[in-house]
């Protein structure tokens, strides 16, 4: 939808293993975001990017890192997965140049850490 | 810390009813209030509100912002089963980063 895809769609992983989620966009937008969604917590910002190699932390960044080596790709890495990171992860793009006209979200990645 | 609170958390109505969803916010350097609808998958954008008292409307959905009292409402008239979803509101800040703080959402169930 609107040129943003996430992979994988589902993943089950073991505690302590590293995991990388990928977000790919085809529209050359500068701003990209990673959110997680948990029951009772809405969407919470993990990290965001405002350009190639330019990233910053959100409100729940502990245990996560990100990289953006190309405009189209924004990677989220769980350095050592824990059960508390079981969640649905959404990538989003913003069409404004730092002005949010409304996100377009990817379809999400459901991650289960066992 | 920025905060967005939605009420009620859940709501069950019958087709044809009118519903009002509430969103209050405390957001530093507030710029806009956004509403999203989430069905089974990802949220989809509904409205962006930046000015008090100006209603945004799309079909049976409408929304308004009160920047003095720091709240917004989303109205849905003549509800249909297809309106069943989680409705999320989010406060955006004037930080040139487009970051949003989301509320926990209101789950609306419309019964036939």
């Amino acid at each position: 939808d609107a040129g943003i895809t996430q992979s994988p769609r589902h993943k089950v992983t073991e505690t302590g293993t590293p995991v990388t989620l990928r977000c790919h966009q085809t529209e050359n937008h500068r701003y990209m975001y990673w959110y997680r969604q948990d029951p009772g917590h809405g969407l919470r910002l993990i990290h965001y990017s405002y350009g190639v190699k330019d990233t910053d932390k959100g409100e729940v960044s502990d245990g996560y890192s990100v990289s953006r080596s190309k405009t189209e790709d924004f990677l989220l890495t769980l350095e050592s997965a824990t059960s508390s990171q079981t969640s649905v992860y959404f990538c989003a793009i913003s069409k404004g140049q730092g002005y949010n006209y409304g996100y377009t979200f990817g379809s999400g990645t459901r991650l289960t850490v066992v | 810390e920025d905060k967005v609170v939605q009420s009620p958390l859940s709501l069950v109505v019958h087709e044809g009813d009118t519903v009002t969803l509430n969103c209050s916010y405390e957001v530093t350097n507030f710029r806009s209030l956004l509403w999203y609808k989430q069905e089974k998958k990802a949220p989809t954008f509904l409205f962006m509100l930046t000015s008090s008292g100006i209603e945004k409307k799309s079909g049976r959905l409408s929304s308004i912002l009160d920047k003095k009292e720091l709240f917004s409402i989303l109205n849905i008239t003549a509800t249909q089963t297809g309106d069943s979803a989680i409705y999320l509101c989010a406060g955006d800040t004037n930080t040139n980063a487009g970051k949003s703080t989301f509320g926990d959402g209101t789950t609306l169930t419309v019964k036939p």
Side-chain angles (χ1 to χ4, degrees), chain A:
Chain A
D1 180 26
I4 178 169
T5 56
Q6 291 183 233
S7 60
R9 296 292 305 276
H10 302 271
K11 185 167 182 69
V12 180
T13 192
E14 292 186 349
T15 299
T17 60
V19 177
T20 295
L21 309 183
R22 181 181 184 237
C23 179
H24 179 79
Q25 58 142 333
T26 59
E27 299 184 350
N28 209 36
H29 294 298
R30 182 179 169 196
Y31 288 84
M32 300 182 75
Y33 309 83
W34 277 107
Y35 283 86
R36 62 178 287 176
Q37 187 174 34
D38 305 290
H41 286 284
L43 286 154
R44 292 181 291 174
L45 181 65
I46 305 171
H47 281 278
Y48 67 99
S49 171
Y50 47 96
V52 173
K53 291 187 169 49
D54 292 324
T55 65
D56 206 349
K57 296 178 180 180
E59 62 178 306
V60 290
S61 60
D62 286 349
Y64 301 94
S65 62
V66 290
S67 66
R68 193 161 177 206
S69 58
K70 299 185 287 185
T71 299
E72 58 265 37
D73 289 325
F74 191 30
L75 304 181
L76 176 72
T77 297
L78 288 65
E79 293 143 7
S80 177
T82 67
S83 58
S84 65
Q85 294 176 311
T86 292
S87 188
V88 179
Y89 291 85
F90 287 104
C91 177
I93 56 175
S94 174
K95 297 184 179 181
Q97 292 299 310
Y99 190 103
N100 188 359
Y101 292 101
Y103 292 146
T104 299
F105 286 91
S107 296
T109 296
R110 184 174 293 276
L111 177 68
T112 303
V113 183
V114 297

Side-chain angles (χ1 to χ4, degrees), chain B residues 74-95:
Chain B
L74 176 68
N75 281 321
I76 309 174
T77 59
T79 52
Q80 302 171 357
T81 55
D83 295 326
S84 295
I86 300 172
Y87 290 85
L88 296 162
C89 73
D92 187 47
T93 63
N94 191 20
T95 59

Side-chain angles (χ1 to χ4, degrees), chain B residues 4-63:
Chain B
V4 175
V5 178
Q6 294 186 243
S7 64
L9 289 182
S10 64
L11 191 56
V12 180
V13 301
H14 287 92
E15 275 193 315
D17 289 347
T18 293
V19 298
T20 298
L21 310 183
N22 304 296
C23 176
S24 65
Y25 64 90
E26 295 175 26
V27 175
T28 305
N29 297 319
F30 174 82
R31 174 161 56 194
S32 59
L33 193 290
L34 302 105
W35 284 96
Y36 297 83
K37 177 183 182 182
Q38 184 176 22
E39 295 175 88
K40 293 195 184 303
K41 294 185 179 177
T44 55
F45 171 71
L46 293 174
F47 298 113
M48 182 181 75
L49 303 151
T50 55
S51 301
S52 276
I54 298 176
E55 184 181 58
K56 290 279 183 89
K57 198 169 170 65
S58 176
R60 296 176 293 101
L61 276 66
S62 63
S63 185

